[in-house]
Amino acid sequence: MRAARLLRMALLVQSSPGLTAPALARELEVSERTVIRDAQALRDAGIPVRAERGRAGGYHLAPGHRTRLTHLHPAEAETLYLGGLPTALADLGLAQAAGTARLKLAATLLPSLRAAAESSVRRFHLDAPAWFSEPSAPPLLQDLARAVRDDRTVRLSYARPAREGRPARTVDRLYEPYGLVLKAGVWYVVGRVPGQGAREAAWRTYRVERLTALEPGEPFTRVASFDLATHWRAEAERFARALLRTPVTLRLTPEGLRRLPGALGAASTEGLTPGPPGPDGRVTVTVPTESEDVAFDQLTSLGADAEVLAPPALRARFTVHARALAERYGTDL
């Protein structure tokens, strides 16, 4: 464990000279004290890692020194071949470039490592799109990807769907595209609408397939601290919580409680604390849902293992549904 961490630290210092102790601690997921100890361990092993003070300080290797630790472990070679999703690369227009890169990588590997890397392609396939959906790249995706790679602003038109009584409409934005995310077969662009006058810059995420026009503009300067993965996780969690605006109270059998996360999803059931079971073994819980319509569709799958107690309108809807089922099947019972 420590040997792998020391190797990674040496490569980080070589590839990114000037990393500070706090930055290395974040990358290695250790304390700053551990970074200082590891730097001394590397020096003891003959790798001249130096800590320099000042604005241009941080950790550096001695001038002219390069580590000889860049050979690959078989598992590391395998991950390089699995690093790209075939569908995503095709959508971005990079399938041919990825194939050429794999050929170049294979030519530099030892025969044993080349066999390990190529075998991973035969054994693992990463398929991003969801089931029962025909994968297709949004028409403007490749143009948008070029703007992301070049740090170039775009003027885009976005078809905003009707929502909560608001009609569908098209909005135009000057936009700084920071990154693209493929989620369950759907492409999203994450970026920033620049501030104008008293209005501050605002982060916005758009579904790429809803873009109707895209015109490249001038280069922009990225916010250096922006991290796409961290931003996406936070936005996805916020979005999931924002959707859950309708509380529903249920009485569940033990089987219904077990199946509830599968019916409603993790966002609705995370941290769920059921009340004490009643004489019949059922428990009462209150869970957030997106709407009564969505809750009806989701909870129907639990059948008699779930009883809706509130809101009254949703309970009445299940009563009507149960009577219709009884009438439909009653003559055959």
PDB file of all heavy atoms in Angstrom, residues 161-199:
ATOM      1  N   PRO A 161     -38.258  22.485 -22.277  1.00  0.00           N
ATOM      2  CA  PRO A 161     -39.583  21.858 -22.327  1.00  0.00           C
ATOM      3  C   PRO A 161     -40.572  22.528 -21.383  1.00  0.00           C
ATOM      4  O   PRO A 161     -40.186  23.256 -20.463  1.00  0.00           O
ATOM      5  CB  PRO A 161     -39.300  20.416 -21.885  1.00  0.00           C
ATOM      6  CG  PRO A 161     -38.083  20.523 -21.018  1.00  0.00           C
ATOM      7  CD  PRO A 161     -37.260  21.632 -21.605  1.00  0.00           C
ATOM      8  N   ALA A 162     -41.863  22.280 -21.627  1.00  0.00           N
ATOM      9  CA  ALA A 162     -42.902  22.797 -20.735  1.00  0.00           C
ATOM     10  C   ALA A 162     -42.742  22.156 -19.361  1.00  0.00           C
ATOM     11  O   ALA A 162     -42.421  20.983 -19.243  1.00  0.00           O
ATOM     12  CB  ALA A 162     -44.277  22.477 -21.308  1.00  0.00           C
ATOM     13  N   ARG A 163     -42.987  22.973 -18.319  1.00  0.00           N
ATOM     14  CA  ARG A 163     -42.794  22.464 -16.955  1.00  0.00           C
ATOM     15  C   ARG A 163     -43.611  23.308 -15.981  1.00  0.00           C
ATOM     16  O   ARG A 163     -43.549  24.534 -16.013  1.00  0.00           O
ATOM     17  CB  ARG A 163     -41.314  22.510 -16.568  1.00  0.00           C
ATOM     18  CG  ARG A 163     -40.993  21.921 -15.205  1.00  0.00           C
ATOM     19  CD  ARG A 163     -39.509  22.050 -14.903  1.00  0.00           C
ATOM     20  NE  ARG A 163     -38.696  21.407 -15.916  1.00  0.00           N
ATOM     21  CZ  ARG A 163     -37.376  21.578 -16.034  1.00  0.00           C
ATOM     22  NH1 ARG A 163     -36.762  22.413 -15.213  1.00  0.00           N
ATOM     23  NH2 ARG A 163     -36.698  20.940 -16.963  1.00  0.00           N
ATOM     24  N   GLU A 164     -44.387  22.629 -15.127  1.00  0.00           N
ATOM     25  CA  GLU A 164     -45.133  23.272 -14.037  1.00  0.00           C
ATOM     26  C   GLU A 164     -45.936  24.480 -14.523  1.00  0.00           C
ATOM     27  O   GLU A 164     -45.877  25.568 -13.960  1.00  0.00           O
ATOM     28  CB  GLU A 164     -44.168  23.690 -12.917  1.00  0.00           C
ATOM     29  CG  GLU A 164     -43.437  22.518 -12.277  1.00  0.00           C
ATOM     30  CD  GLU A 164     -42.457  22.969 -11.206  1.00  0.00           C
ATOM     31  OE1 GLU A 164     -42.235  24.189 -11.066  1.00  0.00           O
ATOM     32  OE2 GLU A 164     -41.918  22.099 -10.507  1.00  0.00           O
ATOM     33  N   GLY A 165     -46.677  24.264 -15.605  1.00  0.00           N
ATOM     34  CA  GLY A 165     -47.541  25.327 -16.109  1.00  0.00           C
ATOM     35  C   GLY A 165     -46.858  26.312 -17.029  1.00  0.00           C
ATOM     36  O   GLY A 165     -47.527  27.144 -17.650  1.00  0.00           O
ATOM     37  N   ARG A 166     -45.528  26.242 -17.144  1.00  0.00           N
ATOM     38  CA  ARG A 166     -44.821  27.141 -18.051  1.00  0.00           C
ATOM     39  C   ARG A 166     -44.752  26.513 -19.440  1.00  0.00           C
ATOM     40  O   ARG A 166     -44.425  25.329 -19.571  1.00  0.00           O
ATOM     41  CB  ARG A 166     -43.405  27.419 -17.548  1.00  0.00           C
ATOM     42  CG  ARG A 166     -43.359  28.226 -16.250  1.00  0.00           C
ATOM     43  CD  ARG A 166     -41.942  28.520 -15.842  1.00  0.00           C
ATOM     44  NE  ARG A 166     -41.167  27.291 -15.676  1.00  0.00           N
ATOM     45  CZ  ARG A 166     -39.892  27.277 -15.267  1.00  0.00           C
ATOM     46  NH1 ARG A 166     -39.275  28.410 -15.016  1.00  0.00           N
ATOM     47  NH2 ARG A 166     -39.267  26.134 -15.125  1.00  0.00           N
ATOM     48  N   PRO A 167     -45.041  27.259 -20.501  1.00  0.00           N
ATOM     49  CA  PRO A 167     -45.009  26.683 -21.843  1.00  0.00           C
ATOM     50  C   PRO A 167     -43.578  26.400 -22.302  1.00  0.00           C
ATOM     51  O   PRO A 167     -42.614  26.972 -21.785  1.00  0.00           O
ATOM     52  CB  PRO A 167     -45.658  27.779 -22.701  1.00  0.00           C
ATOM     53  CG  PRO A 167     -45.369  29.054 -21.962  1.00  0.00           C
ATOM     54  CD  PRO A 167     -45.414  28.683 -20.498  1.00  0.00           C
ATOM     55  N   ALA A 168     -43.456  25.524 -23.256  1.00  0.00           N
ATOM     56  CA  ALA A 168     -42.155  25.255 -23.857  1.00  0.00           C
ATOM     57  C   ALA A 168     -41.657  26.510 -24.577  1.00  0.00           C
ATOM     58  O   ALA A 168     -42.453  27.259 -25.147  1.00  0.00           O
ATOM     59  CB  ALA A 168     -42.260  24.090 -24.829  1.00  0.00           C
ATOM     60  N   ARG A 169     -40.361  26.733 -24.542  1.00  0.00           N
ATOM     61  CA  ARG A 169     -39.801  27.894 -25.231  1.00  0.00           C
ATOM     62  C   ARG A 169     -38.340  27.655 -25.538  1.00  0.00           C
ATOM     63  O   ARG A 169     -37.718  26.723 -24.998  1.00  0.00           O
ATOM     64  CB  ARG A 169     -39.945  29.158 -24.374  1.00  0.00           C
ATOM     65  CG  ARG A 169     -39.209  29.122 -23.053  1.00  0.00           C
ATOM     66  CD  ARG A 169     -39.619  30.263 -22.151  1.00  0.00           C
ATOM     67  NE  ARG A 169     -38.922  30.260 -20.872  1.00  0.00           N
ATOM     68  CZ  ARG A 169     -37.855  30.995 -20.594  1.00  0.00           C
ATOM     69  NH1 ARG A 169     -37.360  31.810 -21.522  1.00  0.00           N
ATOM     70  NH2 ARG A 169     -37.284  30.945 -19.413  1.00  0.00           N
ATOM     71  N   THR A 170     -37.778  28.467 -26.399  1.00  0.00           N
ATOM     72  CA  THR A 170     -36.364  28.386 -26.759  1.00  0.00           C
ATOM     73  C   THR A 170     -35.625  29.568 -26.159  1.00  0.00           C
ATOM     74  O   THR A 170     -36.065  30.708 -26.274  1.00  0.00           O
ATOM     75  CB  THR A 170     -36.188  28.380 -28.284  1.00  0.00           C
ATOM     76  OG1 THR A 170     -36.830  27.219 -28.833  1.00  0.00           O
ATOM     77  CG2 THR A 170     -34.705  28.329 -28.656  1.00  0.00           C
ATOM     78  N   VAL A 171     -34.503  29.278 -25.486  1.00  0.00           N
ATOM     79  CA  VAL A 171     -33.699  30.343 -24.886  1.00  0.00           C
ATOM     80  C   VAL A 171     -32.348  30.397 -25.592  1.00  0.00           C
ATOM     81  O   VAL A 171     -31.832  29.379 -26.067  1.00  0.00           O
ATOM     82  CB  VAL A 171     -33.494  30.106 -23.372  1.00  0.00           C
ATOM     83  CG1 VAL A 171     -34.812  30.152 -22.636  1.00  0.00           C
ATOM     84  CG2 VAL A 171     -32.789  28.778 -23.108  1.00  0.00           C
ATOM     85  N   ASP A 172     -31.789  31.598 -25.701  1.00  0.00           N
ATOM     86  CA  ASP A 172     -30.478  31.816 -26.302  1.00  0.00           C
ATOM     87  C   ASP A 172     -29.502  32.229 -25.209  1.00  0.00           C
ATOM     88  O   ASP A 172     -29.830  33.045 -24.342  1.00  0.00           O
ATOM     89  CB  ASP A 172     -30.548  32.900 -27.373  1.00  0.00           C
ATOM     90  CG  ASP A 172     -31.444  32.499 -28.533  1.00  0.00           C
ATOM     91  OD1 ASP A 172     -31.364  31.331 -28.949  1.00  0.00           O
ATOM     92  OD2 ASP A 172     -32.227  33.346 -28.993  1.00  0.00           O
ATOM     93  N   ARG A 173     -28.297  31.658 -25.246  1.00  0.00           N
ATOM     94  CA  ARG A 173     -27.309  31.929 -24.210  1.00  0.00           C
ATOM     95  C   ARG A 173     -25.919  32.078 -24.823  1.00  0.00           C
ATOM     96  O   ARG A 173     -25.552  31.353 -25.762  1.00  0.00           O
ATOM     97  CB  ARG A 173     -27.246  30.759 -23.213  1.00  0.00           C
ATOM     98  CG  ARG A 173     -28.480  30.586 -22.339  1.00  0.00           C
ATOM     99  CD  ARG A 173     -28.442  31.554 -21.170  1.00  0.00           C
ATOM    100  NE  ARG A 173     -29.521  31.279 -20.227  1.00  0.00           N
ATOM    101  CZ  ARG A 173     -30.747  31.773 -20.305  1.00  0.00           C
ATOM    102  NH1 ARG A 173     -31.052  32.570 -21.316  1.00  0.00           N
ATOM    103  NH2 ARG A 173     -31.655  31.477 -19.407  1.00  0.00           N
ATOM    104  N   LEU A 174     -25.135  32.996 -24.264  1.00  0.00           N
ATOM    105  CA  LEU A 174     -23.695  32.979 -24.454  1.00  0.00           C
ATOM    106  C   LEU A 174     -23.167  32.077 -23.344  1.00  0.00           C
ATOM    107  O   LEU A 174     -23.494  32.277 -22.162  1.00  0.00           O
ATOM    108  CB  LEU A 174     -23.095  34.376 -24.344  1.00  0.00           C
ATOM    109  CG  LEU A 174     -21.577  34.449 -24.540  1.00  0.00           C
ATOM    110  CD1 LEU A 174     -21.200  34.038 -25.961  1.00  0.00           C
ATOM    111  CD2 LEU A 174     -21.061  35.846 -24.230  1.00  0.00           C
ATOM    112  N   TYR A 175     -22.357  31.080 -23.689  1.00  0.00           N
ATOM    113  CA  TYR A 175     -22.094  29.978 -22.761  1.00  0.00           C
ATOM    114  C   TYR A 175     -20.631  29.558 -22.845  1.00  0.00           C
ATOM    115  O   TYR A 175     -20.046  29.511 -23.939  1.00  0.00           O
ATOM    116  CB  TYR A 175     -23.005  28.817 -23.156  1.00  0.00           C
ATOM    117  CG  TYR A 175     -23.052  27.640 -22.221  1.00  0.00           C
ATOM    118  CD1 TYR A 175     -23.611  27.726 -20.960  1.00  0.00           C
ATOM    119  CD2 TYR A 175     -22.574  26.401 -22.643  1.00  0.00           C
ATOM    120  CE1 TYR A 175     -23.688  26.620 -20.126  1.00  0.00           C
ATOM    121  CE2 TYR A 175     -22.654  25.287 -21.827  1.00  0.00           C
ATOM    122  CZ  TYR A 175     -23.214  25.403 -20.568  1.00  0.00           C
ATOM    123  OH  TYR A 175     -23.288  24.303 -19.743  1.00  0.00           O
ATOM    124  N   GLU A 176     -20.048  29.280 -21.690  1.00  0.00           N
ATOM    125  CA  GLU A 176     -18.685  28.763 -21.609  1.00  0.00           C
ATOM    126  C   GLU A 176     -18.761  27.272 -21.290  1.00  0.00           C
ATOM    127  O   GLU A 176     -19.011  26.887 -20.145  1.00  0.00           O
ATOM    128  CB  GLU A 176     -17.903  29.488 -20.526  1.00  0.00           C
ATOM    129  CG  GLU A 176     -17.764  30.985 -20.773  1.00  0.00           C
ATOM    130  CD  GLU A 176     -17.146  31.713 -19.581  1.00  0.00           C
ATOM    131  OE1 GLU A 176     -17.009  31.080 -18.503  1.00  0.00           O
ATOM    132  OE2 GLU A 176     -16.822  32.905 -19.709  1.00  0.00           O
ATOM    133  N   PRO A 177     -18.576  26.380 -22.273  1.00  0.00           N
ATOM    134  CA  PRO A 177     -18.706  24.940 -22.021  1.00  0.00           C
ATOM    135  C   PRO A 177     -17.450  24.364 -21.367  1.00  0.00           C
ATOM    136  O   PRO A 177     -16.376  24.375 -21.960  1.00  0.00           O
ATOM    137  CB  PRO A 177     -18.920  24.356 -23.419  1.00  0.00           C
ATOM    138  CG  PRO A 177     -18.210  25.314 -24.326  1.00  0.00           C
ATOM    139  CD  PRO A 177     -18.310  26.677 -23.690  1.00  0.00           C
ATOM    140  N   TYR A 178     -17.592  23.871 -20.142  1.00  0.00           N
ATOM    141  CA  TYR A 178     -16.448  23.352 -19.394  1.00  0.00           C
ATOM    142  C   TYR A 178     -16.253  21.850 -19.576  1.00  0.00           C
ATOM    143  O   TYR A 178     -15.136  21.349 -19.476  1.00  0.00           O
ATOM    144  CB  TYR A 178     -16.631  23.656 -17.905  1.00  0.00           C
ATOM    145  CG  TYR A 178     -16.079  24.990 -17.480  1.00  0.00           C
ATOM    146  CD1 TYR A 178     -16.596  26.180 -17.987  1.00  0.00           C
ATOM    147  CD2 TYR A 178     -15.026  25.080 -16.562  1.00  0.00           C
ATOM    148  CE1 TYR A 178     -16.099  27.402 -17.603  1.00  0.00           C
ATOM    149  CE2 TYR A 178     -14.516  26.306 -16.173  1.00  0.00           C
ATOM    150  CZ  TYR A 178     -15.058  27.472 -16.698  1.00  0.00           C
ATOM    151  OH  TYR A 178     -14.556  28.685 -16.316  1.00  0.00           O
ATOM    152  N   GLY A 179     -17.320  21.096 -19.798  1.00  0.00           N
ATOM    153  CA  GLY A 179     -17.149  19.654 -19.915  1.00  0.00           C
ATOM    154  C   GLY A 179     -18.421  18.969 -20.361  1.00  0.00           C
ATOM    155  O   GLY A 179     -19.516  19.528 -20.310  1.00  0.00           O
ATOM    156  N   LEU A 180     -18.262  17.725 -20.819  1.00  0.00           N
ATOM    157  CA  LEU A 180     -19.375  16.894 -21.254  1.00  0.00           C
ATOM    158  C   LEU A 180     -19.488  15.684 -20.346  1.00  0.00           C
ATOM    159  O   LEU A 180     -18.472  15.109 -19.932  1.00  0.00           O
ATOM    160  CB  LEU A 180     -19.172  16.441 -22.703  1.00  0.00           C
ATOM    161  CG  LEU A 180     -19.340  17.534 -23.764  1.00  0.00           C
ATOM    162  CD1 LEU A 180     -18.710  17.102 -25.082  1.00  0.00           C
ATOM    163  CD2 LEU A 180     -20.810  17.866 -23.961  1.00  0.00           C
ATOM    164  N   VAL A 181     -20.712  15.281 -20.043  1.00  0.00           N
ATOM    165  CA  VAL A 181     -20.978  14.137 -19.173  1.00  0.00           C
ATOM    166  C   VAL A 181     -21.962  13.214 -19.880  1.00  0.00           C
ATOM    167  O   VAL A 181     -22.975  13.670 -20.418  1.00  0.00           O
ATOM    168  CB  VAL A 181     -21.570  14.592 -17.817  1.00  0.00           C
ATOM    169  CG1 VAL A 181     -21.939  13.385 -16.961  1.00  0.00           C
ATOM    170  CG2 VAL A 181     -20.582  15.484 -17.076  1.00  0.00           C
ATOM    171  N   LEU A 182     -21.654  11.912 -19.890  1.00  0.00           N
ATOM    172  CA  LEU A 182     -22.560  10.909 -20.434  1.00  0.00           C
ATOM    173  C   LEU A 182     -23.194  10.176 -19.261  1.00  0.00           C
ATOM    174  O   LEU A 182     -22.519   9.467 -18.518  1.00  0.00           O
ATOM    175  CB  LEU A 182     -21.794   9.926 -21.316  1.00  0.00           C
ATOM    176  CG  LEU A 182     -22.614   8.805 -21.966  1.00  0.00           C
ATOM    177  CD1 LEU A 182     -23.672   9.389 -22.896  1.00  0.00           C
ATOM    178  CD2 LEU A 182     -21.703   7.848 -22.723  1.00  0.00           C
ATOM    179  N   LYS A 183     -24.505  10.352 -19.076  1.00  0.00           N
ATOM    180  CA  LYS A 183     -25.232   9.767 -17.949  1.00  0.00           C
ATOM    181  C   LYS A 183     -26.355   8.896 -18.499  1.00  0.00           C
ATOM    182  O   LYS A 183     -27.295   9.404 -19.116  1.00  0.00           O
ATOM    183  CB  LYS A 183     -25.798  10.880 -17.064  1.00  0.00           C
ATOM    184  CG  LYS A 183     -26.741  10.405 -15.953  1.00  0.00           C
ATOM    185  CD  LYS A 183     -26.007   9.673 -14.862  1.00  0.00           C
ATOM    186  CE  LYS A 183     -26.926   9.388 -13.677  1.00  0.00           C
ATOM    187  NZ  LYS A 183     -26.273   8.637 -12.602  1.00  0.00           N
ATOM    188  N   ALA A 184     -26.254   7.567 -18.274  1.00  0.00           N
ATOM    189  CA  ALA A 184     -27.295   6.625 -18.701  1.00  0.00           C
ATOM    190  C   ALA A 184     -27.654   6.814 -20.171  1.00  0.00           C
ATOM    191  O   ALA A 184     -28.819   6.787 -20.555  1.00  0.00           O
ATOM    192  CB  ALA A 184     -28.537   6.767 -17.821  1.00  0.00           C
ATOM    193  N   GLY A 185     -26.629   7.017 -21.020  1.00  0.00           N
ATOM    194  CA  GLY A 185     -26.857   7.150 -22.448  1.00  0.00           C
ATOM    195  C   GLY A 185     -27.255   8.528 -22.908  1.00  0.00           C
ATOM    196  O   GLY A 185     -27.493   8.731 -24.100  1.00  0.00           O
ATOM    197  N   VAL A 186     -27.328   9.502 -21.995  1.00  0.00           N
ATOM    198  CA  VAL A 186     -27.741  10.870 -22.339  1.00  0.00           C
ATOM    199  C   VAL A 186     -26.558  11.814 -22.110  1.00  0.00           C
ATOM    200  O   VAL A 186     -25.930  11.777 -21.047  1.00  0.00           O
ATOM    201  CB  VAL A 186     -28.950  11.323 -21.496  1.00  0.00           C
ATOM    202  CG1 VAL A 186     -29.337  12.759 -21.840  1.00  0.00           C
ATOM    203  CG2 VAL A 186     -30.132  10.379 -21.711  1.00  0.00           C
ATOM    204  N   TRP A 187     -26.271  12.654 -23.112  1.00  0.00           N
ATOM    205  CA  TRP A 187     -25.169  13.603 -23.008  1.00  0.00           C
ATOM    206  C   TRP A 187     -25.648  14.920 -22.393  1.00  0.00           C
ATOM    207  O   TRP A 187     -26.701  15.436 -22.760  1.00  0.00           O
ATOM    208  CB  TRP A 187     -24.587  13.899 -24.390  1.00  0.00           C
ATOM    209  CG  TRP A 187     -23.710  12.814 -24.926  1.00  0.00           C
ATOM    210  CD1 TRP A 187     -24.048  11.846 -25.827  1.00  0.00           C
ATOM    211  CD2 TRP A 187     -22.330  12.585 -24.596  1.00  0.00           C
ATOM    212  NE1 TRP A 187     -22.973  11.033 -26.075  1.00  0.00           N
ATOM    213  CE2 TRP A 187     -21.901  11.463 -25.340  1.00  0.00           C
ATOM    214  CE3 TRP A 187     -21.425  13.223 -23.749  1.00  0.00           C
ATOM    215  CZ2 TRP A 187     -20.606  10.968 -25.262  1.00  0.00           C
ATOM    216  CZ3 TRP A 187     -20.137  12.736 -23.661  1.00  0.00           C
ATOM    217  CH2 TRP A 187     -19.730  11.626 -24.402  1.00  0.00           C
ATOM    218  N   TYR A 188     -24.835  15.439 -21.461  1.00  0.00           N
ATOM    219  CA  TYR A 188     -25.078  16.738 -20.849  1.00  0.00           C
ATOM    220  C   TYR A 188     -23.822  17.588 -20.994  1.00  0.00           C
ATOM    221  O   TYR A 188     -22.695  17.071 -20.981  1.00  0.00           O
ATOM    222  CB  TYR A 188     -25.409  16.603 -19.352  1.00  0.00           C
ATOM    223  CG  TYR A 188     -26.680  15.838 -19.061  1.00  0.00           C
ATOM    224  CD1 TYR A 188     -26.664  14.452 -18.941  1.00  0.00           C
ATOM    225  CD2 TYR A 188     -27.894  16.507 -18.909  1.00  0.00           C
ATOM    226  CE1 TYR A 188     -27.830  13.741 -18.681  1.00  0.00           C
ATOM    227  CE2 TYR A 188     -29.064  15.805 -18.639  1.00  0.00           C
ATOM    228  CZ  TYR A 188     -29.022  14.424 -18.530  1.00  0.00           C
ATOM    229  OH  TYR A 188     -30.180  13.728 -18.277  1.00  0.00           O
ATOM    230  N   VAL A 189     -24.006  18.894 -21.124  1.00  0.00           N
ATOM    231  CA  VAL A 189     -22.876  19.816 -21.120  1.00  0.00           C
ATOM    232  C   VAL A 189     -22.953  20.651 -19.842  1.00  0.00           C
ATOM    233  O   VAL A 189     -24.021  21.128 -19.463  1.00  0.00           O
ATOM    234  CB  VAL A 189     -22.860  20.714 -22.378  1.00  0.00           C
ATOM    235  CG1 VAL A 189     -24.127  21.544 -22.501  1.00  0.00           C
ATOM    236  CG2 VAL A 189     -21.624  21.617 -22.383  1.00  0.00           C
ATOM    237  N   VAL A 190     -21.808  20.781 -19.183  1.00  0.00           N
ATOM    238  CA  VAL A 190     -21.698  21.560 -17.956  1.00  0.00           C
ATOM    239  C   VAL A 190     -20.865  22.799 -18.266  1.00  0.00           C
ATOM    240  O   VAL A 190     -19.794  22.694 -18.873  1.00  0.00           O
ATOM    241  CB  VAL A 190     -21.032  20.749 -16.837  1.00  0.00           C
ATOM    242  CG1 VAL A 190     -20.860  21.595 -15.577  1.00  0.00           C
ATOM    243  CG2 VAL A 190     -21.834  19.491 -16.533  1.00  0.00           C
ATOM    244  N   GLY A 191     -21.357  23.949 -17.887  1.00  0.00           N
ATOM    245  CA  GLY A 191     -20.604  25.162 -18.184  1.00  0.00           C
ATOM    246  C   GLY A 191     -21.142  26.362 -17.441  1.00  0.00           C
ATOM    247  O   GLY A 191     -21.917  26.240 -16.497  1.00  0.00           O
ATOM    248  N   ARG A 192     -20.743  27.529 -17.904  1.00  0.00           N
ATOM    249  CA  ARG A 192     -21.047  28.762 -17.177  1.00  0.00           C
ATOM    250  C   ARG A 192     -21.586  29.822 -18.125  1.00  0.00           C
ATOM    251  O   ARG A 192     -21.067  30.005 -19.234  1.00  0.00           O
ATOM    252  CB  ARG A 192     -19.775  29.268 -16.503  1.00  0.00           C
ATOM    253  CG  ARG A 192     -20.012  30.227 -15.352  1.00  0.00           C
ATOM    254  CD  ARG A 192     -18.726  30.473 -14.606  1.00  0.00           C
ATOM    255  NE  ARG A 192     -17.757  31.207 -15.407  1.00  0.00           N
ATOM    256  CZ  ARG A 192     -16.877  32.065 -14.923  1.00  0.00           C
ATOM    257  NH1 ARG A 192     -16.825  32.289 -13.621  1.00  0.00           N
ATOM    258  NH2 ARG A 192     -16.029  32.676 -15.713  1.00  0.00           N
ATOM    259  N   VAL A 193     -22.649  30.479 -17.690  1.00  0.00           N
ATOM    260  CA  VAL A 193     -23.161  31.655 -18.398  1.00  0.00           C
ATOM    261  C   VAL A 193     -22.420  32.866 -17.839  1.00  0.00           C
ATOM    262  O   VAL A 193     -22.515  33.140 -16.633  1.00  0.00           O
ATOM    263  CB  VAL A 193     -24.679  31.807 -18.207  1.00  0.00           C
ATOM    264  CG1 VAL A 193     -25.179  33.081 -18.878  1.00  0.00           C
ATOM    265  CG2 VAL A 193     -25.413  30.583 -18.749  1.00  0.00           C
ATOM    266  N   PRO A 194     -21.636  33.584 -18.655  1.00  0.00           N
ATOM    267  CA  PRO A 194     -20.841  34.701 -18.123  1.00  0.00           C
ATOM    268  C   PRO A 194     -21.725  35.786 -17.504  1.00  0.00           C
ATOM    269  O   PRO A 194     -22.877  35.979 -17.909  1.00  0.00           O
ATOM    270  CB  PRO A 194     -20.109  35.235 -19.367  1.00  0.00           C
ATOM    271  CG  PRO A 194     -20.186  34.142 -20.375  1.00  0.00           C
ATOM    272  CD  PRO A 194     -21.457  33.405 -20.100  1.00  0.00           C
ATOM    273  N   GLY A 195     -21.176  36.456 -16.511  1.00  0.00           N
ATOM    274  CA  GLY A 195     -21.895  37.554 -15.891  1.00  0.00           C
ATOM    275  C   GLY A 195     -21.925  38.776 -16.796  1.00  0.00           C
ATOM    276  O   GLY A 195     -21.017  39.001 -17.588  1.00  0.00           O
ATOM    277  N   GLN A 196     -22.970  39.549 -16.666  1.00  0.00           N
ATOM    278  CA  GLN A 196     -23.107  40.787 -17.432  1.00  0.00           C
ATOM    279  C   GLN A 196     -23.662  41.871 -16.522  1.00  0.00           C
ATOM    280  O   GLN A 196     -24.698  41.662 -15.883  1.00  0.00           O
ATOM    281  CB  GLN A 196     -24.034  40.583 -18.635  1.00  0.00           C
ATOM    282  CG  GLN A 196     -23.458  39.683 -19.717  1.00  0.00           C
ATOM    283  CD  GLN A 196     -24.388  39.583 -20.910  1.00  0.00           C
ATOM    284  OE1 GLN A 196     -25.516  40.048 -20.860  1.00  0.00           O
ATOM    285  NE2 GLN A 196     -23.905  38.977 -21.985  1.00  0.00           N
ATOM    286  N   GLY A 197     -22.985  42.997 -16.439  1.00  0.00           N
ATOM    287  CA  GLY A 197     -23.430  44.085 -15.576  1.00  0.00           C
ATOM    288  C   GLY A 197     -23.446  43.639 -14.127  1.00  0.00           C
ATOM    289  O   GLY A 197     -22.462  43.131 -13.595  1.00  0.00           O
ATOM    290  N   ALA A 198     -24.609  43.790 -13.477  1.00  0.00           N
ATOM    291  CA  ALA A 198     -24.723  43.400 -12.069  1.00  0.00           C
ATOM    292  C   ALA A 198     -24.993  41.912 -11.901  1.00  0.00           C
ATOM    293  O   ALA A 198     -24.951  41.397 -10.797  1.00  0.00           O
ATOM    294  CB  ALA A 198     -25.854  44.204 -11.409  1.00  0.00           C
ATOM    295  N   ARG A 199     -25.276  41.225 -13.010  1.00  0.00           N
ATOM    296  CA  ARG A 199     -25.595  39.799 -12.928  1.00  0.00           C
ATOM    297  C   ARG A 199     -24.311  38.978 -12.873  1.00  0.00           C
ATOM    298  O   ARG A 199     -23.421  39.132 -13.713  1.00  0.00           O
ATOM    299  CB  ARG A 199     -26.428  39.373 -14.139  1.00  0.00           C
ATOM    300  CG  ARG A 199     -26.977  37.955 -14.030  1.00  0.00           C
ATOM    301  CD  ARG A 199     -27.701  37.564 -15.302  1.00  0.00           C
ATOM    302  NE  ARG A 199     -26.760  37.405 -16.397  1.00  0.00           N
ATOM    303  CZ  ARG A 199     -27.128  37.179 -17.659  1.00  0.00           C
ATOM    304  NH1 ARG A 199     -28.400  37.140 -17.964  1.00  0.00           N
ATOM    305  NH2 ARG A 199     -26.209  37.029 -18.603  1.00  0.00           N
TER     306      ARG A 199
END
